[in-house]
Amino acid sequence: MTDSRSGNQHRAQAKAWARPLLAIHRRLLPDDREIGWTPYLWLVYLSFFFIEWFFRPVPVWELALSGLALAVFIGAYFRSFWVGSRQRLRMIVLTTLIGLAITPINSGGIVFFIYAAATAGTLLPRSLALGTMAAVILVVLAQSAYLGLPLQYWLVGTVIGGFVGLANLYYTGVSSENAALRLSQQEVQALAATRERERISRDLHDLLGQSLALMSLKAQLARRLIDRDPQQAEAELHIIEEQAREALQQVRDAVRGYRRASLASESADAHLSLVSQEVEFDYELPEQPLPADVDAELALVLREAVTNVLRHSRAEHCRLTVRPSGQDLHFHFSDDGNPGMIEEGNGLSGMRQRIAGLGGRFHVSTEQGLHIQATLPNALATQTPSGEKDKAA
């Protein structure tokens, strides 16, 4: 009990320390999974700027000027992650000017050209990126020749800057293709939703159109007969009542069919949603059809599990296996993310109730990711080719 409390206290302290750091992080960088935390790593190149100071005295005015240059550069560096190519080009020009101003004083200022070339690789279109990188490298060569810098300095600015810039150019292209793919997937989903709405409207028209038209004619006939032949009018009203009841039942059956989920279709939707967020998803479903109630409930369990991945776990890979074993059915969903502290609720209770309603067992574990397991005993025992329960002879 003491260890548990101590662990909770340590976690609370860690969260308290992390909260202001996360707040600063959100101000410096946009919430983009493709950007992540790597921009902080690239600041390691600034170590080149300070090498020369270990071998000579540094006057106060140079410290002040260098501090101002670094402050302006840091602001431009993080600002470049928030703006488009046109404004980012201004950040590149500003960084290049800082390099031109500082390098005559401190040859380590060549590092600013590396950042300028690296940022140039993120510009769009590709021709603008290549042209800007070439311009930065030409500036490095021209200033190095003018100042007579040693070979290793201008090689650092050109080779490393060009290499990182070309790498960024490649990954920017990949990122643009991924964004286009996500947009295409969203368009496909929107078109699918539109077609589904059109299908529902056609179905409802087919179901109700004839019935309502016939009821309207019967109502008119009953109104004309109500004085001349009350018994016949009453018979017509009974027919209208039966037709209304039948039409209502047809609508209820149709709506029930729309609401009923399918494990196969839900798995395909999950694959589309997860891949669009760069999460791999593999799934294995049984070849034989499942009973309709089991199929629908497991589909909703899968939907809730995928929602948890997209909102909380930051997983990179998920897997679903649904395998029969005898007359039992085993459902296992897993991911490699960080599930955090699992609490009953937020969908877990709903999953548990769905499985319990089918007479199954439900288990959740968080060891090396989230694992959701369910076993449905005799889930296939009443299966027939038509998907209905067998009727005992």
Side-chain angles (χ1 to χ4, degrees), residues 29 55 57 88 107 153 171 178 200 240 268 277 290 304 343:
L29 293 173
F55 302 98
R88 198 176 301 153
S107 56
Y153 283 95
Y171 285 111
N178 289 339
I200 292 173
I240 294 174
Q277 298 299 318
L290 300 177
E304 193 64 45
E343 298 179 358

Side-chain angles (χ1 to χ4, degrees), residues 233-293:
E234 185 178 358
E236 296 295 337
L237 290 174
H238 280 300
I239 293 175
I240 294 174
E241 182 182 358
E242 291 297 326
Q243 289 176 339
R245 187 179 293 111
E246 182 180 352
L248 180 60
Q249 186 60 43
Q250 289 176 342
V251 171
R252 286 173 175 170
D253 291 341
V255 171
R256 190 180 299 113
Y258 296 142
R259 290 176 177 173
R260 186 174 292 279
S262 162
L263 185 58
S265 62
E266 195 65 38
S267 298
D269 290 343
H271 183 269
L272 188 64
S273 301
L274 291 169
V275 169
S276 67
Q277 298 299 318
E278 298 184 357
V279 180
E280 296 181 9
F281 179 54
D282 301 322
Y283 61 94
E284 177 186 342
L285 304 179
E287 296 181 0
Q288 63 187 109
L290 300 177
D293 55 345

Side-chain angles (χ1 to χ4, degrees), residues 64-105:
L65 182 61
S66 299
L68 177 62
L70 287 170
V72 174
F73 163 73
I74 291 295
Y77 174 76
F78 284 107
R79 179 63 180 165
S80 66
F81 291 98
W82 294 86
V83 298
S85 290
R86 180 173 296 182
Q87 290 183 307
R88 198 176 301 153
L89 185 60
R90 297 175 185 172
M91 304 297 107
I92 295 170
V93 172
L94 178 59
T95 303
T96 303
L97 291 175
I98 293 174
L100 286 171
I102 293 296
T103 306
I105 304 169

Side-chain angles (χ1 to χ4, degrees), residues 40-55 70 73-74 106-112 114-115 153 156 160:
Y40 303 115
L41 179 63
W42 299 131
L43 290 175
V44 71
Y45 286 110
L46 284 177
S47 59
F48 287 114
F49 181 77
F50 303 100
I51 291 177
E52 190 175 304
W53 286 2
F54 290 97
F55 302 98
L70 287 170
F73 163 73
I74 291 295
N106 179 357
S107 56
I110 204 82
V111 71
F112 294 112
I114 296 177
Y115 286 105
Y153 283 95
V156 166
I160 297 182

